[in-house]
Amino acid sequence: MRALQAAEPWGLDNLTIIEAPDPVPGPGEVLVRMKAVSLNYRDFLMINGIYGRGSATGGSVTPFSDGCGVIEAVGAGVTRVKVGDRVSTLFFQGWLSGPPTVEKAMTALGSPIPGAGRELAVFSQEGVSKVPDFLTDHEVATLACAGLTAWRALFEDADLAPGDTVVLQGTGGVSIFGLQFAKAAGLRTLITSSSDEKLARAKALGADHLVNYREVPEWSKPVRAATGGVGADFIMEVGGQGTIDQSLKAIRIGGHIAIIGVVAQGGAGINPAVLIGNAAKMQGVFVGSRDMFEAMCKAIDLHQIRPVVDKVFPWTEAKSAFAAMAGGEHFGKIVLEF
């Protein structure tokens, strides 16, 4: 089989395709033929050697946590799935339920466990989950990280009710999932972008309020205006340059700010006085468990929510896909197909 590999010296130029022996599932394991994977910003950091604490470890990584595939073989004792089942990988192979722990965090695909960017992969039967039949392989490949991050932020961590106002920053994968989930739950949505074209696409998905943050850098003001001066109940914070400051100004007293990214690699600091003054809650979102993933899939099935896949590349053109991500060309998700 063939697999993608990033290695030292890190960088996009050192993302290569390697040959490796076909893996064989052991007891409790399944062999998956991958059909598609989707890109996350984490993968971009990983192949550049700057993911997590310092450089990527081990000298090389097989990237991608989010994949769709079909079970080709199973090892002894496998009961969760069978040959022929279509499944999604789970971001954390060992976080099945309950709160996160260090041990569960150490089971993430891509780092430290080899990821889904390969033609054939062996996973624990506990680390894959069946998915809604109506979704395409490309759509399934977007669920494990971006979809689940948005789901957890909105419905596991925040205390929201129909009619509440949520702010989605940007039009990347997590924010667009957040828009779709929020609309299905009866929440009022406001989305920001630097592109009027992308804002128009967000409106077509049901966004109630649109703000071009290049034209209105202090986007907290239209958020306040849209909420009668009260502020938003919830904000999906991407960790951009200056966005946390605006989020603190836009959130209502007692509101919830979910920090789901670090796209600016360290923007302006948090003003504790403002945070105390509005009694807001800020929480980092650490993807989620298998229980959360399966609850999300039930909602996707019920509401027939189709993930937004903006661009699809052959997996052998992963470098071009990452270049598109770096250029901010996408609306929703970028996918590689096998």
Side-chain angles (χ1 to χ4, degrees):
M1 68 147 191
R2 295 175 297 168
L4 287 164
Q5 182 183 81
E8 296 179 301
W10 305 105
L12 191 57
D13 288 342
N14 291 303
L15 179 64
T16 58
I17 296 173
I18 63 167
E19 296 279 348
D22 289 357
V24 177
E29 294 181 332
V30 297
L31 176 68
V32 179
R33 181 166 293 278
M34 302 308 301
K35 297 296 185 181
V37 295
S38 70
L39 277 64
N40 293 304
Y41 190 64
R42 170 182 186 259
D43 299 304
F44 182 78
L45 297 178
M46 196 178 295
I47 65 173
N48 283 291
I50 52 176
Y51 177 73
R53 298 177 181 175
S55 299
T57 57
S60 66
V61 295
T62 299
F64 301 111
S65 57
D66 296 21
C68 174
V70 175
I71 305 291
E72 281 212 345
V74 299
V78 170
T79 57
R80 262 181 59 80
V81 291
K82 63 183 185 302
V83 172
D85 282 347
R86 190 175 64 143
V87 296
S88 169
T89 55
L90 297 175
F91 186 98
F92 290 111
Q93 294 285 286
W95 185 6
L96 308 184
S97 61
T101 64
V102 171
E103 292 76 19
K104 293 171 184 177
M106 293 304 293
T107 66
L109 286 182
S111 177
I113 295 175
R118 40 192 165 147
E119 292 175 317
L120 291 168
V122 166
F123 304 105
S124 164
Q125 66 169 333
E126 306 297 339
V128 297
S129 187
K130 288 185 275 190
V131 290
D133 291 336
F134 78 97
L135 296 178
T136 68
D137 294 344
H138 296 163
E139 291 166 340
V140 168
T142 69
L143 299 177
C145 181
L148 187 52
T149 296
W151 175 266
R152 178 187 166 187
L154 285 164
F155 305 120
E156 299 285 344
D157 296 338
D159 183 18
L160 297 171
D164 283 350
T165 299
V166 302
V167 174
L168 298 315
Q169 292 179 5
T171 55
V174 179
S175 293
I176 295 302
F177 267 116
L179 170 60
Q180 293 176 290
F181 291 155
K183 293 306 295 182
L187 302 168
R188 183 167 63 155
T189 56
L190 184 149
I191 195 162
T192 70
S193 175
S194 62
S195 164
D196 287 338
E197 178 186 357
K198 289 181 179 180
L199 287 173
R201 294 180 68 179
K203 184 174 179 62
L205 287 175
D208 297 300
H209 302 278
L210 313 170
V211 178
N212 186 316
Y213 64 78
R214 283 205 177 143
E215 296 176 0
V216 187
E218 293 189 41
W219 50 263
S220 58
K221 292 181 178 179
V223 172
R224 289 278 175 183
T227 56
V230 173
D233 299 285
F234 173 94
I235 297 175
M236 194 87 78
E237 169 61 57
V238 299
Q241 190 69 39
T243 57
I244 290 179
D245 177 63
Q246 285 298 300
S247 289
L248 288 170
K249 292 177 179 178
I251 198 71
R252 68 163 170 82
I253 291 177
H256 187 111
I257 300 172
I259 302 177
I260 58 93
V262 286
V263 298
Q265 285 296 287
I270 297 170
N271 184 338
V274 176
L275 187 60
I276 293 169
N278 61 20
K281 177 181 179 181
M282 299 185 75
Q283 182 169 354
V285 182
F286 200 42
V287 194
S289 67
R290 189 179 75 191
D291 280 355
M292 296 177 197
F293 180 90
E294 293 183 348
M296 174 188 72
C297 284
K298 287 181 181 178
I300 287 172
D301 210 9
L302 174 65
H303 294 284
Q304 297 287 288
I305 296 170
R306 305 205 75 111
V308 177
V309 176
D310 190 53
K311 297 179 186 295
V312 178
F313 293 81
W315 74 279
T316 52
E317 296 180 16
K319 291 181 182 179
S320 297
F322 278 112
M325 169 178 272
E329 300 173 9
H330 58 295
F331 177 95
K333 295 295 291 181
I334 298 172
V335 168
L336 304 179
E337 63 179 2
F338 288 83

